[in-house]
Amino acid sequence: MTASGTLFIISAPSGAGKTSLVRALLECTPGIGVSVSHTTRAPRPGETDGVDYHFVSVTEFEKMVAEGVFLEHARVFDNFYGTSRRAIEERLAAGEDVILEIDWQGAAQVRAQMDDTVSIFILPPSREALEARLRGRGQDDEAVIARRMRDAVAEMSHYGEFDYLVVNDDFDTALGELRCVVLARRQRLDRQRRSLPPALAGLLGEQG
């Protein structure tokens, strides 16, 4: 029987540390990868097409939407983001666990189409800590920071729609909690039955 991976949806307000936590999770947890989304925003310094994002024009993005390419898509900060349905399904079918980093809108779209998902929301310890992190980037003016704070509060109001909640106060603690969710999911009976049929048959004395 072919093993099937799990789709982990991870959402968080900007500044909560989601990207850093996911990067650290990948380094310490084999068999899991991140879905590479399509976006219409311009590449940032150091970003590589096909690695960080698939960078496309608005026209290309709209064509993909019309063709039903995306499992989910949304507009965030005046740019469009979308997840390829085929890419996700192929990786899951191969037995790989996949992380989908999207906002609450995208998470709702995915949950409506795929039953077997695990959703995790990451929160900052306080509004003050969140604002300090946004200011610490040194990239935005006051107007942008104010907008990001408003958007963050709106995003955080949807935490109750997720399966798990992780508060990123201490980074190592938050990483450990995130990893626990992934590892616990792998030990579920339905997952083990798919991935260990020969071993289970041998333990029970079943003949092939």
Side-chain angles (χ1 to χ4, degrees), residues 88-157:
I88 291 289
E89 291 177 344
E90 287 179 348
R91 293 172 70 175
L92 293 176
E96 181 182 3
D97 289 330
V98 180
I99 293 173
L100 189 52
E101 296 182 71
I102 49 179
D103 72 345
W104 71 270
Q105 300 175 76
Q109 291 180 48
V110 174
R111 286 196 301 267
Q113 299 177 68
M114 301 182 71
D115 295 327
D116 194 24
T117 64
V118 176
S119 57
I120 307 166
F121 199 92
I122 298 172
L123 284 172
S126 66
R127 285 198 190 188
E128 292 75 15
L130 180 62
E131 183 172 354
R133 291 173 184 177
L134 291 175
R135 291 184 181 281
R137 294 176 176 179
Q139 299 175 344
D140 304 315
D141 58 28
E142 287 298 318
V144 172
I145 290 174
R147 188 183 74 166
R148 288 188 179 275
M149 283 298 298
R150 289 194 301 270
D151 290 339
V153 172
E155 179 87 14
M156 290 188 291
S157 70

Side-chain angles (χ1 to χ4, degrees), residues 15-173:
K18 170 172 59 67
T19 300
S20 297
L21 283 171
V22 169
R23 185 180 298 117
L25 177 66
L26 296 178
E27 292 177 354
C28 66
T29 311
I32 191 167
V34 175
S35 169
V36 180
S37 299
H38 290 73
T39 183
T40 59
R41 77 162 172 78
R44 293 170 181 163
E47 289 185 332
T48 303
D49 183 43
V51 176
D52 299 286
Y53 286 96
H54 297 293
F55 296 100
V56 298
S57 67
V58 173
T59 300
E60 289 176 290
F61 193 94
E62 292 175 340
K63 182 174 183 291
M64 295 174 77
V65 170
E67 293 174 347
V69 170
F70 296 127
L71 177 63
E72 62 81 29
H73 64 277
R75 182 172 182 169
V76 183
F77 297 136
D78 301 325
N79 294 297
F80 294 97
Y81 295 82
T83 302
S84 167
R85 179 190 301 273
R86 181 177 178 180
I88 291 289
E89 291 177 344
E90 287 179 348
R91 293 172 70 175
L92 293 176
E96 181 182 3
D97 289 330
V98 180
I99 293 173
L100 189 52
E101 296 182 71
I102 49 179
D103 72 345
W104 71 270
Q105 300 175 76
Q109 291 180 48
V110 174
R111 286 196 301 267
Q113 299 177 68
M114 301 182 71
D115 295 327
D116 194 24
T117 64
V118 176
S119 57
I120 307 166
F121 199 92
I122 298 172
L123 284 172
S126 66
R127 285 198 190 188
E128 292 75 15
L130 180 62
E131 183 172 354
R133 291 173 184 177
L134 291 175
R135 291 184 181 281
R137 294 176 176 179
Q139 299 175 344
D140 304 315
D141 58 28
E142 287 298 318
V144 172
I145 290 174
R147 188 183 74 166
R148 288 188 179 275
M149 283 298 298
R150 289 194 301 270
D151 290 339
V153 172
E155 179 87 14
M156 290 188 291
S157 70
H158 293 273
Y159 77 89
E161 301 168 14
F162 291 72
D163 299 318
Y164 295 90
L165 191 62
V166 172
V167 177
N168 185 16
D169 187 359
D170 177 77
F171 185 86
D172 289 337
T173 299

Side-chain angles (χ1 to χ4, degrees), residues 151-202:
D151 290 339
V153 172
E155 179 87 14
M156 290 188 291
S157 70
H158 293 273
Y159 77 89
E161 301 168 14
F162 291 72
D163 299 318
Y164 295 90
L165 191 62
V166 172
V167 177
N168 185 16
D169 187 359
D170 177 77
F171 185 86
D172 289 337
T173 299
L175 174 59
E177 292 171 349
L178 195 59
R179 190 164 187 264
C180 280
V181 173
V182 174
L183 297 182
R185 176 68 185 188
R186 291 179 176 179
Q187 307 313 308
R188 281 174 57 97
L189 180 59
D190 57 347
R191 176 75 174 262
Q192 294 288 60
R193 275 179 169 167
R194 288 196 298 266
S195 61
L196 298 175
L200 291 174

